[in-house]
Amino acid sequence: MRRILPILVLALGLSGCQMTSVPATVPARVEPVAVTPKRLPSRVEEVIGERENPRVVAEFGGVYRNPQVEAALVKVVSRLVAASDDPSRHYKVTILNSPVANAFALPGGYLYITRGLLALTNDSSELAAVLSHEIAHVIANHAVARARVIEQADIVEKVASDVLSDPVAQQSARLRSRVTVARFSQDQEVEADRIGIMIAGRAGFDPFAASRFLDSLEHYAEFRSATGSRDEPKSFLASHPTALERRELALRAARQFGAPGTTPGDRNSYLAALDGLVYGDDPGEGFVRGREYLHPRLSIRFSVPEPYRLENTKEAVLAAAGPNTAMRFDGVPVPADTSPSDYLASGWVNGLVDGSIRETTANGLPAATAEARAGDWFFRIGAVRVGSSMYRMIFADRSSDEAIAAALDETLASFRRLTPQDSARLRPLTIEVVDVKPGDTVASLAARMQGTDRRLELFRLLNGLGEQDVVSPGEKVKLVLE
């Protein structure tokens, strides 16, 4: 999806976004849960954190309130801070209302974790592994240091462009500056892993949880990818070490505390805090239920055919059916008297094929379709008007337009208004923690999951279970239920 959507964006003048699935340091904002300080960090760090704080909350769906989870977070962070090399720092922890698995930190002690990442944790040591990594970024002042290196690299690139007349020399100078930034970022991640594991181990958490949770994040990234694969950072310019590198380094750091399995686990008591956690899409952005999208506030629904898999984002609903086929759905305001055919002809579609616009209907709603070409890409576009909103379905394929023509027709035929009763029945998915009973199996428990496809795979991912792992009576597991 990451490979195909930028091309679709360029051809049609639309914007998209991507998923991040590993902890990173990015700008941020919160309404925080605070760990009481002995002293505040430098004013410079505090100013940076306060300035960037609102941007992150807005970008990641706002603050997610859950007293049980907040209490668990404060408990873990308090232990980590006490075991760190700088226990006098002040940390403010925020749960972000995003289904994306992510965590990051800002100068000034701002720590962020999404509810999407929380859903993957299975004990306090895994949560500690994530948070100690971000605390390490704060302690090491990585965000400030990286900003300085990026500024210096930008200056180098500008000088290369303005002063050097030799194109080869220009390219060489730019490449050197980019390598400097990339290696600096990789070194930061390695250092944060090492420092974080040391902090977690000293605080009494399982130091091997970091490598275990890195595996969970990798597997979840594969699961989330609509094509069944993910983009590996093959280039040495990648800003993060590969998952395999990070895992090996994490294991090496953890072995300093002893062998695996020597730290008592707290899975059952920890999972109790996650009971009722919202999973997946926020109600304000609609719901993905398998191959169907439903939005109670907009009162619309549609479905995509196999093998498309939907992905909900703030800007649009995305779908992919392999590495060279994708779909984007969004809506824009229009005058209530604008016809779908006139809208398709209004100039917003680059490469529109002359004479391809066709008027039609979608379950009684005015609609139209069109074709477009851009380079070696084929596009089939549908538009449906509901009141003063125009909803757009854009299918793209690199090799042919036959399959996407059928996909557009099927998707358009499924588009309809939700009844008030349908909208009232829609509820967000939640994580429900249940006890394994005699006779329960991984398969039988996974079959109870609701509102999602690939249930068996998701059940194993959420509960940290491998292909050969089984469940035992009395232990707690997470289910996704409506």
Side-chain angles (χ1 to χ4, degrees):
M1 188 182 294
R2 291 178 182 175
R3 289 190 295 271
I4 189 170
L5 287 174
I7 300 173
L8 190 154
V9 167
L10 287 172
L12 296 173
L14 301 172
S15 61
C17 69
Q18 298 180 351
M19 182 183 77
T20 303
S21 60
V22 293
T25 301
V26 300
R29 128 79 155 141
V30 291
E31 299 234 333
V33 176
V35 176
T36 304
K38 294 180 182 177
R39 70 166 176 80
L40 290 176
S42 72
R43 183 57 186 161
V44 173
E45 293 182 23
E46 192 70 23
V47 167
I48 293 173
E50 289 176 355
R51 183 193 67 205
E52 300 298 333
N53 205 9
R55 304 182 190 181
V56 166
V57 169
E59 178 66 23
F60 284 85
V63 177
Y64 176 72
R65 297 296 186 186
N66 185 311
Q68 293 179 164
V69 181
E70 289 172 10
L73 281 170
V74 171
K75 184 177 179 180
V76 169
V77 172
S78 296
R79 287 174 59 181
L80 293 173
V81 172
S84 73
D85 292 335
D86 190 358
S88 62
R89 277 188 179 267
H90 179 210
Y91 293 90
K92 297 167 284 289
V93 189
T94 297
I95 306 171
L96 295 171
N97 188 27
S98 170
V100 174
N102 206 353
F104 36 85
L106 271 185
Y110 290 85
L111 307 179
Y112 303 88
I113 187 168
T114 63
R115 57 176 173 79
L117 190 144
L118 283 167
L120 295 177
T121 59
N122 280 287
D123 58 40
S124 60
S125 289
E126 292 183 352
L127 178 60
V130 174
L131 294 172
S132 62
H133 177 98
E134 302 311 328
I135 286 173
H137 278 308
V138 174
I139 291 174
N141 292 317
H142 282 162
V144 175
R146 179 164 167 75
R148 290 174 182 150
V149 172
I150 290 174
E151 182 180 20
Q152 183 178 10
D154 288 343
I155 293 173
V156 170
E157 292 206 22
K158 183 171 182 5
V159 170
S161 298
D162 294 347
V163 177
L164 299 178
S165 58
D166 182 356
V168 176
Q170 287 182 359
Q171 181 64 21
S172 177
R174 294 192 190 102
L175 183 60
R176 283 196 301 271
S177 68
R178 289 175 59 205
V179 170
T180 299
V181 174
R183 286 178 178 168
F184 190 82
S185 180
Q186 287 185 357
D187 289 343
Q188 286 183 333
E189 291 303 317
V190 170
E191 184 180 25
D193 282 342
R194 180 184 59 78
I195 295 173
I197 291 169
M198 293 297 104
I199 293 172
R202 289 199 300 261
F205 295 105
D206 181 4
F208 290 91
S211 60
R212 185 168 70 242
F213 197 66
L214 280 172
D215 286 343
S216 294
L217 285 172
E218 278 297 295
H219 295 152
Y220 191 63
E222 293 175 357
F223 175 82
R224 292 271 290 182
S225 171
T227 62
S229 62
R230 67 202 181 286
D231 293 333
E232 283 284 2
K234 295 182 174 64
S235 169
F236 65 91
L237 292 175
S239 62
H240 284 68
T242 66
L244 181 60
E245 287 178 287
R246 292 188 69 184
R247 187 177 187 277
E248 289 303 315
L249 292 168
L251 285 171
R252 193 182 310 162
R255 290 189 187 106
Q256 298 180 47
F257 291 89
T262 57
T263 304
D266 63 347
R267 177 187 175 96
N268 280 7
S269 59
Y270 174 78
L271 289 185
L274 299 187
D275 191 35
L277 181 77
V278 171
Y279 177 82
D281 301 323
D282 180 77
E285 295 177 3
F287 301 103
V288 169
R289 296 289 187 266
R291 291 182 291 108
E292 187 173 27
Y293 177 75
L294 309 97
H295 201 303
R297 183 172 56 80
L298 300 178
S299 297
I300 60 171
R301 69 189 300 171
F302 69 88
S303 60
V304 292
E306 286 281 8
Y308 286 88
R309 297 196 182 277
L310 289 170
E311 178 80 19
N312 197 9
T313 74
K314 288 177 61 178
E315 288 79 15
V317 180
L318 310 176
N324 296 309
T325 307
M327 186 278 287
R328 176 189 171 104
F329 172 87
D330 65 5
V332 292
V334 295
D337 59 350
T338 301
S339 72
S341 57
D342 287 344
Y343 178 72
L344 289 176
S346 63
W348 67 274
V349 179
N350 292 330
L352 182 68
V353 175
D354 291 340
S356 67
I357 296 176
R358 299 285 185 272
E359 292 187 350
T360 184
T361 60
N363 293 294
L365 298 167
T369 63
E371 303 172 35
R373 289 290 305 272
D376 56 351
W377 285 88
F378 297 84
F379 298 92
R380 288 292 180 123
I381 308 157
V384 185
R385 184 171 60 78
V386 179
S388 58
S389 295
M390 192 70 71
Y391 293 102
R392 310 183 291 190
M393 304 171 186
I394 305 163
F395 286 81
D397 190 280
R398 175 168 274 170
S399 58
S400 168
D401 65 351
E402 293 181 8
I404 57 173
L408 173 62
D409 290 344
E410 187 172 337
T411 303
L412 200 60
S414 72
F415 188 94
R416 66 187 67 237
R417 300 296 305 272
L418 282 173
T419 67
Q421 294 78 13
D422 290 335
S423 296
R425 282 194 295 266
L426 284 173
R427 294 287 186 274
L429 300 177
T430 58
I431 295 289
E432 303 294 332
V433 177
V434 302
D435 294 319
V436 177
K437 294 181 171 54
D440 283 341
T441 65
V442 169
S444 67
L445 288 164
R448 294 167 54 184
M449 305 249 280
Q450 300 172 325
T452 182
D453 55 4
R454 296 183 289 171
R455 297 177 184 178
L456 181 60
E457 187 180 355
L458 180 58
F459 177 82
R460 290 189 181 279
L461 283 169
L462 290 178
N463 290 286
L465 300 173
E467 289 289 335
Q468 305 304 318
D469 290 337
V470 298
V471 291
S472 302
E475 71 175 304
K476 293 185 181 296
V477 294
K478 292 176 284 187
L479 301 178
V480 175
L481 300 175
E482 292 181 335

